[in-house]
């Protein structure tokens, strides 16, 4: 009797893939075609284009194809590496829209209209804000592949969107790529950005934005290495009609010089350099960089106070402070030859004592020390007491110095009577 051999069977559970779990193929070309068709149907009507983009977001996946969408709005199609438009497999099919920044008419008004299309879009779809920042970072890397005219239009739209807050100032850091800086493209582009930006916002607002993004101290990095200097940057700004930014550049240079000088003075003091040597070096730097005396006086004070490990106990820090400052009164006196410098020093000492709790009861002793050592004059102390003090610890320090000030006033009155 023949026995039929059983055929092997597959064991386990068959799992059906749900349609919603199936991964959709990434197809930016189809997305591009849908957007191009809608935009081309609008002709040159930007208002109609905005309405189309608004409604298309409910049908097309802006979240997934946001980069492609902004490629089209800036350059007219999908940008390939290098900045050229990616062609379609079908040579008969159009892969470019005329509603884009690169196709805009010359002039600021035209660029504002195109920027408004982008602005309306990201206000309607808030999740596109981050994508827009990333788009500009990417596009800046392609500047070399764009024509000069395209770069100017892109710079204009960049400035308009920066002034409106649609893109973050930090995107400009992406201009500091070696190949763009070396060829001078980064400098040309940032100048075009500044030209339009200054039409939209004042220089104070622009500088505040640059400072927030950490770019205020990096402007020299836009210059090729062979031309990297404050003087060249200032001259370039003046040549291109940007004198508003020159003052800020000079202030930035001044800040850098003061920081270096303060560090240098600190090192000299720690190495026990003589007071005469420090005075000579500081005066030389003052003359070289045209540093005002009142700023130098504050710088010296901060240097003196930074080279000591101060005791935390109030009863001990007082003697420590006077003992430390007494040998350096001649140093301070050399740079308090004007009433402004004296008042600047007095206010800074007041704020220092307020910010460092251990010094709250030391202020009067420092004041008396500086008066006796001719660092501070009677007139400066009285002016500080009556009207020029800082608001920091005002009531505390005015009460603390009241008797000394009264003594000064009485001495002044007696002197006047004798005269």
């Amino acid at each position: 009797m023949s026995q039929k051999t059983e055929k092997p069977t597959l064991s386990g559970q068959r799992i059906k893939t749900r349609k919603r779990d199936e991964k959709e193929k990434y197809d930016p070309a189809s997305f591009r075609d849908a957007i191009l068709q809608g935009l081309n149907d609008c002709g040159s009507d930007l208002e109609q284009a905005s309405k189309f983009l608004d409604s298309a977001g409910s049908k097309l996946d802006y979240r997934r194809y946001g980069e492609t969408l902004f490629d089209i709005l800036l350059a007219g199609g999908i940008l390939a590496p290098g900045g050229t438009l990616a062609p379609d497999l079908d040579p008969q099919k159009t892969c470019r829209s005329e509603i884009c920044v690169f196709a805009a008419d010359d002039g600021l008004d035209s660029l504002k209209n195109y920027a408004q299309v982008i602005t309306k879009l990201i206000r309607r779809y808030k999740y596109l804000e981050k994508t827009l920042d990333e788009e500009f970072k990417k596009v800046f890397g392609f500047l070399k592949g764009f024509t000069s005219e395209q770069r100017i239009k892109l710079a204009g739209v960049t400035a308009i969107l920066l002034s409106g807050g649609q893109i973050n100032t930090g995107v400009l850091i992406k201009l500091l790529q070696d190949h763009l800086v070396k060829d001078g493209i980064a400098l040309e582009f940032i100048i075009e950005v500044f030209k339009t930006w200054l039409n939209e916002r004042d220089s104070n607002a622009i500088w505040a934005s640059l400072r927030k993004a950490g770019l205020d101290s990096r402007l020299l990095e836009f210059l090729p290495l062979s031309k990297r200097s404050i003087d060249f940057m200032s001259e370039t700004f003046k040549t291109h009609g940007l004198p508003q930014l020159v003052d800020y550049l000079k202030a930035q240079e001044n800040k850098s010089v003061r920081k270096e000088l303060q560090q240098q003075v600190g090192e000299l003091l720690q190495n026990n350099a003589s007071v005469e040597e420090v005075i000579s070096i500081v005066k030389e730097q003052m003359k070289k960089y045209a540093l005002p005396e009142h700023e130098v006086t504050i710088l010296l004070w901060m240097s003196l106070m930074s080279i000591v490990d101060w005791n935390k106990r109030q009863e001990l820090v007082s003697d420590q402070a006077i003992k430390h400052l007494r040998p350096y009164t001649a140093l301070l006196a050399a740079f308090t030859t004007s009433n402004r410098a004296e008042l600047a020093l007095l206010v800074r000492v007041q704020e220092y004592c307020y910010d460092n709790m251990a010094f709250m009861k030391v202020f009067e002793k420092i004041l008396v020390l500086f008066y006796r050592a001719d660092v501070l004059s009677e007139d400066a102390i009285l002016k500080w007491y009556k009207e020029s003090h800082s608001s920091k610890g005002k009531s505390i320090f005015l009460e603390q110095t009241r008797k000394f000030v009264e003594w000064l006033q009485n001495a002044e009155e007696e002197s006047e009577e004798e005269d």
Side-chain angles (χ1 to χ4, degrees), residues 128-294:
L128 286 175
E129 289 178 350
K130 186 176 180 182
T131 308
L132 184 61
D133 276 355
E134 295 303 317
E135 173 70 12
F136 273 87
K137 290 177 184 178
K138 180 192 81 173
V139 171
F140 289 160
F142 298 158
L143 286 180
K144 199 170 182 178
F146 299 151
T147 65
S148 176
E149 184 183 0
Q150 288 172 338
R151 288 199 291 266
I152 290 172
K153 290 177 180 178
L154 180 62
V157 166
T158 300
I160 294 166
L161 295 175
L162 281 170
S163 65
Q166 284 78 44
I167 57 176
N168 193 294
T169 311
V171 301
L172 297 175
I173 293 174
K174 283 296 179 180
L175 292 169
L176 297 174
Q177 300 179 42
D178 290 343
H179 68 286
L180 298 177
V181 174
K182 182 181 177 183
D183 294 340
I185 294 174
L187 179 61
E188 290 174 7
F189 189 86
I190 199 67
I191 285 173
E192 291 298 329
V193 169
F194 283 145
K195 283 181 181 178
T196 305
W197 204 353
L198 280 166
N199 277 329
E200 303 298 306
R201 289 285 182 271
D202 63 45
S203 54
N204 290 327
I206 291 175
W207 204 258
S209 297
L210 293 173
R211 190 184 302 115
K212 188 175 180 181
L215 272 166
D216 60 319
S217 59
R218 300 186 65 184
L219 287 181
L220 286 180
E221 295 179 36
F222 286 93
L223 297 172
L225 277 172
S226 59
K227 301 175 180 177
R228 198 165 289 180
S229 71
I230 288 285
D231 289 340
F232 183 84
M233 178 68 94
S234 298
E235 193 58 40
T236 302
F237 279 176
K238 285 180 182 176
T239 303
H240 288 87
L242 301 171
Q244 305 96 319
L245 299 180
V246 174
D247 291 338
Y248 288 100
L249 277 176
K250 292 294 184 184
Q252 190 63 43
E253 181 187 32
N254 186 280
K255 181 180 177 182
S256 176
V257 167
R258 282 188 284 120
K259 186 177 179 181
E260 290 176 9
L261 181 56
Q262 183 174 331
Q263 185 177 356
Q264 184 183 9
V265 170
E267 290 172 358
L268 287 168
L269 295 174
Q270 286 178 318
N271 292 329
N272 298 318
S274 67
V275 169
E276 291 75 16
E277 182 183 353
V278 177
I279 290 173
S280 175
I281 291 171
V282 173
K283 284 190 173 181
E284 185 180 331
Q285 295 295 306
M286 275 182 69
K287 185 177 180 181
K288 182 178 179 181
Y289 295 105
L291 297 175
E293 189 181 63
H294 65 278

Side-chain angles (χ1 to χ4, degrees), residues 293-294 297 333 335-347 375-385 387-388:
E293 189 181 63
H294 65 278
T297 307
F335 299 96
T336 52
T337 61
S338 68
N339 193 257
R340 184 178 182 183
E342 291 181 69
L343 286 171
L345 175 61
L346 248 175
V347 170
V375 176
L376 300 174
S377 67
E378 182 180 309
D379 290 341
I381 295 172
L382 293 176
K383 185 175 178 61
W384 167 85
Y385 188 85
E387 58 187 71
S388 300

Side-chain angles (χ1 to χ4, degrees), residues 4-8:
K4 209 169 185 181
T5 308
E6 287 188 29
K7 291 183 178 180

